[in-house]
Amino acid sequence: MATLYRLAGIADLNGDGRMEVVTFGAYYEGYALDVNEWRSGSGLKSRLQGGCGV
């Protein structure tokens, strides 16, 4: 199954002074957007997810 992943943006979305990473993923029946936050010691953690598809 072909899947596409892209960096959609980097911004301080929640106003805490730290940047969040927004990623986009798509496959043959849908897509997803994820907002991720980097925490030292624990790495990249998903904070918000949304999308549409089967």
Side-chain angles (χ1 to χ4, degrees):
M1 177 166 58
T3 305
L4 169 74
Y5 294 104
R6 297 271 192 237
L7 176 64
I10 299 174
D12 181 10
L13 298 173
N14 60 5
D16 66 352
R18 298 171 57 117
M19 296 295 187
E20 284 77 42
V21 178
V22 182
T23 57
F24 171 81
Y27 62 104
Y28 71 101
E29 288 186 342
Y31 72 92
L33 285 167
D34 290 319
V35 176
N36 303 284
E37 181 178 69
W38 180 263
R39 297 263 177 164
S40 45
S42 59
L44 202 59
K45 296 290 184 182
S46 180
R47 295 297 175 210
L48 180 66
Q49 298 176 334
C52 182
V54 177

